[in-house]
Amino acid sequence: DVAGKYLKSLFDLLQFGIWMTEEKDPPFCFNGTSIHVPPTPKSCFTELKLSESRKHARQYGRLGIGVKRPFVFNRFGRPVVYYGFHRNPANDIFFKQCAQELTDKNLLNFFKPMNSTTTLNYDFYSESEWRIVFLEELLKQNLIIDPRNPLNTKEYAYFHTLTPDEQNKLKYLIPLDGWFAMIIYPSLDVINKAQQDKTNNTQTEIDRIKNLPDHGNAVEGGNWPIEVDLDACRNF
């Protein structure tokens, strides 16, 4: 059933982490010179108000996970830098300088246009997006996990339960830690089953995360995440 699929997705997310995926962007052009942004694995977050969650969910899905800002900062993440109009950065001097002078072009994945089309509705800008972008340091510090590496036994086994399309999409996993702060459930039915039906192990996984011996839990005192259903978000 639908509720069961949501609970399976939530359990996988809690147990294995947030997916890092990649997409290929067309090159930027400055004065006839093309600059390519490498297709780099990344995870995207939003800093929208809860009251705006239902609108956001229409495009990105009804199940949400919230983390506190140090979760992103500790993984070298940051808010994206929005530029100009729709993929036309010609008048954005800051973006031009970064595009031309950055040694690591992967960092250009922190830039994004304000509009998804040539219509100036600022729809991308209104998402208040943050990103974690793949860096080798993240792998070295075990802040992200390669699910294709057999040494990562749990994640490797999980990877091989996925469909070929899902395997092609998933590049890395970002395990949750003590900065994990919220679950937005798609409906009352799903939140009730997650909290009351012990067989889906959702609460067990939350308990595991909130007992990890990390800085986030030390600061937060092991506080459990806020749990709320999507329709209730309109009141916040």
Side-chain angles (χ1 to χ4, degrees):
D1 65 330
V2 174
K5 291 180 179 178
Y6 274 122
L7 288 171
K8 175 63 165 59
S9 295
L10 175 60
F11 178 77
D12 287 347
L13 200 160
L14 295 172
Q15 187 175 29
F16 302 109
I18 299 168
W19 284 30
M20 297 187 79
T21 61
E22 67 182 27
E23 53 189 60
K24 187 176 181 179
D25 290 324
F28 300 104
C29 187
F30 296 100
N31 300 325
T33 302
S34 291
I35 297 176
H36 292 265
V37 179
T40 301
K42 53 183 170 283
S43 291
C44 302
F45 304 79
T46 180
E47 204 173 24
L48 290 175
K49 296 177 181 178
L50 276 181
S51 57
E52 298 173 302
S53 298
R54 295 169 74 248
K55 178 181 177 182
H56 192 73
R58 287 198 290 269
Q59 183 171 353
Y60 296 104
R62 294 179 63 88
L63 178 64
I65 290 289
V67 294
K68 294 199 171 180
R69 289 172 184 152
F71 180 88
V72 181
F73 289 141
N74 292 344
R75 290 157 180 80
F76 313 120
R78 50 155 295 128
V80 301
V81 182
Y82 290 98
Y83 64 82
F85 303 113
H86 172 58
R87 302 202 62 81
N88 179 15
N91 294 322
D92 194 317
I93 294 175
F94 177 69
F95 185 24
K96 180 179 179 180
Q97 290 294 106
C98 290
Q100 293 175 337
E101 297 184 15
L102 275 175
T103 301
D104 185 354
K105 299 302 183 186
N106 283 333
L107 296 177
L108 293 177
N109 281 277
F110 284 115
F111 284 86
K112 186 173 183 175
M114 292 187 181
N115 306 278
S116 61
T117 68
T118 53
T119 302
L120 303 184
N121 58 5
Y122 303 102
D123 55 334
F124 280 165
Y125 180 72
S126 67
E127 292 179 350
S128 301
E129 185 175 337
W130 293 49
R131 287 180 177 175
I132 296 172
V133 172
F134 173 81
L135 295 167
E136 287 290 342
E137 290 91 334
L138 295 174
L139 269 182
K140 293 175 183 177
Q141 296 182 33
N142 293 318
L143 292 170
I144 64 174
I145 304 295
D146 182 357
R148 291 172 173 80
N149 186 343
L151 296 178
N152 300 320
T153 309
K154 183 180 73 171
E155 294 79 9
Y156 184 78
Y158 166 65
F159 180 79
H160 286 280
T161 67
L162 303 176
T163 66
D165 285 344
E166 290 171 332
Q167 289 181 354
N168 186 56
K169 183 177 181 180
L170 173 60
K171 304 304 179 185
Y172 297 95
L173 291 159
I174 310 177
L176 293 171
D177 62 16
W179 295 113
F180 166 43
M182 174 175 283
I183 303 174
I184 300 178
Y185 292 91
S187 67
L188 282 173
D189 181 41
V190 178
I191 191 173
N192 288 337
K193 289 181 178 178
Q195 293 176 340
Q196 299 171 19
D197 183 354
K198 305 301 181 184
T199 63
N200 59 60
N201 293 319
T202 300
Q203 304 299 303
T204 301
E205 278 302 304
I206 296 174
D207 186 61
R208 177 189 65 79
I209 295 168
K210 285 304 180 177
N211 279 285
L212 292 172
D214 59 33
H215 182 61
N217 277 324
V219 172
E220 297 289 306
N223 285 339
W224 271 47
I226 297 168
E227 297 180 76
V228 63
D229 70 278
L230 184 61
D231 288 333
C233 289
R234 74 179 80 189
N235 300 311
F236 294 91

